Amino acid sequence: MKRPVIRSIGRLAVLIVVIVPVVAWFIVKPVRVIAPQWVHVTCNASRTLCVDDALKLAEALALRDEAIAFVSAKVGTIEGQPRVVFCASQACADSFGLGARSAVTLGQFGTVIGPRAWKPYYVRHELIHYLQSERVGVLPLLFKPQWWVEGMAYALSEDPREKLVEPWEGDRAVFRKWLAQVGLAKIWLR
């Protein structure tokens, strides 16, 4: 009687350990940020910075370093080493599943910056999401209100656009109002 149960557990373990990650790799393309070197990008030795165009490595490094310093100084210290993939081409962005998005951060696994997002405020925005996942946790962050998650990233990244498309402009406005009441020092306590 115990053997069928053990076989079922073994099959379930194989499914979870082998099949689910393979399927996710092909269907949920942002997951590819976990092993970006498999997607035709060049990475530094620590795989924390990757580019699809080696001629833009210095620019990508400067953008990432400025964003880490900015976020750490103005929002909260980034403890980890965020992995950031900079795609100069749309083909690269498509290989990470960006679609219409300019950039995406997948928890603490990494960030993909698309060709339209090679600007300081975009990279800061995404690294604020990285910091949120460090401070709040990846799963609890899924249950935070959108105005808090996106509003914080838009407001605190110093995004210079006066008017964002909805719902982002509304999220930024709600966050700014909330921030005025609680203060920057308490954004992680509430």
Side-chain angles (χ1 to χ4, degrees):
M1 193 64 154
K2 288 185 179 181
R3 285 188 191 255
V5 171
I6 292 172
R7 284 188 192 140
S8 294
I9 292 172
R11 288 183 188 136
L12 182 60
V14 167
L15 178 71
I16 291 170
V17 172
V18 176
I19 307 232
V20 169
V22 170
V23 169
W25 183 265
F26 289 102
I27 294 175
V28 185
K29 290 182 180 181
V31 165
R32 294 175 180 183
V33 77
I34 295 169
Q37 68 278 12
W38 295 350
V39 189
H40 309 294
V41 294
T42 303
C43 300
N44 63 1
S46 62
R47 290 193 322 245
T48 57
L49 181 71
C50 304
V51 293
D52 66 332
D53 181 350
L55 297 174
K56 294 192 170 230
L57 180 62
E59 182 183 355
L61 180 62
L63 283 166
R64 188 214 45 196
D65 289 352
E66 185 278 339
I68 290 172
F70 178 94
V71 171
S72 290
K74 297 200 175 200
V75 184
T77 303
I78 294 176
E79 301 294 335
Q81 277 291 323
R83 175 179 296 125
V84 185
V85 177
F86 284 87
C87 290
S89 70
Q90 192 58 47
C92 172
D94 291 344
S95 70
F96 285 96
L98 282 185
R101 296 175 290 193
S102 298
V104 67
T105 295
L106 191 64
Q108 294 173 52
F109 294 112
T111 295
V112 180
I113 303 294
R116 295 175 301 165
W118 287 58
K119 295 178 177 70
Y121 63 92
Y122 273 111
V123 183
R124 294 173 194 159
H125 177 116
E126 293 305 323
L127 290 187
I128 289 170
H129 288 317
Y130 177 90
L131 179 63
Q132 289 171 332
S133 69
E134 271 190 342
R135 294 288 178 95
V136 176
V138 175
L139 290 178
L141 192 57
L142 295 173
F143 298 100
K144 291 287 184 191
Q146 180 177 294
W147 67 262
W148 190 84
V149 176
E150 289 300 333
M152 178 189 295
Y154 280 109
L156 299 182
S157 66
E158 295 185 3
D159 189 316
R161 295 173 288 180
E162 288 183 29
K163 202 77 160 153
L164 301 168
V165 297
E166 289 300 340
W168 316 126
E169 184 60 35
D171 292 341
R172 180 166 64 176
V174 171
F175 179 81
R176 283 178 172 162
K177 184 177 178 183
W178 176 82
L179 181 62
Q181 293 173 348
V182 301
L184 190 58
K186 295 183 181 179
I187 62 171
W188 304 111
L189 299 177
R190 297 214 171 206

